[in-house]
Amino acid sequence: MVMGKYFLALLAALLLTTGVAFAQETKKAYLLDSFQGDIAAGKTIEVQAPEKISWESYGAISFWLQGAGTGAKIAVDVEDDEGEFHRFMVTDDTRERKQAVCPFDAFFPRAYGQPIMTEPNGEIDFPIKSLRFELMTRATGPVLIDQVSLEALN
């Protein structure tokens, strides 16, 4: 019976230690904004990016989206340190709440609206200054955006 208690204590310590080690290795998302806003055609929502952050630790922007399942296109634009705008497109393809993940390496230079004095290089120059959401096509219902975060690299 005493041997059983020692075995259980050892097993519990091992599981706890392994769990702690795993928790230390797991990177977490960095919440930028937890507003809940709706967007309509021609309206944008802007989120200011933090000035002091280790951008090299993050590989994507994520947010929660709830739409009407209309197929409407939502542009996610970032303004980089050089003033260049980059875009990622998301589709409103469900009425359910879903998380959209936008990897930095999947953004492309926006085709219009680049500042005149900016020399586009096609890459996001960190740090990111701002992030904008814009509904590009008409939707029959509101498209809600919430929980905008930076996702850690794995």
Side-chain angles (χ1 to χ4, degrees), residues 56-69:
E56 63 276 1
S57 299
Y58 299 95
I61 292 169
S62 71
F63 61 95
W64 286 90
L65 164 74
Q66 183 164 4

Side-chain angles (χ1 to χ4, degrees), residues 82 114-120:
E82 300 297 320
Q114 297 289 357
I116 295 171
M117 301 303 287
T118 299
E119 175 104 14

Side-chain angles (χ1 to χ4, degrees), residues 33-86:
D33 204 327
S34 63
F35 69 91
Q36 181 175 354
D38 64 322
I39 56 175
K43 178 182 172 188
T44 61
I45 295 174
E46 185 167 348
V47 176
Q48 293 301 314
E51 291 182 21
K52 296 181 180 180
I53 189 168
S54 298
W55 287 97
E56 63 276 1
S57 299
Y58 299 95
I61 292 169
S62 71
F63 61 95
W64 286 90
L65 164 74
Q66 183 164 4
T70 63
K73 303 292 183 196
I74 301 149
V76 180
D77 291 338
V78 296
E79 180 183 5
D80 73 12
D81 194 43
E82 300 297 320
E84 187 176 358
F85 289 95
H86 304 270

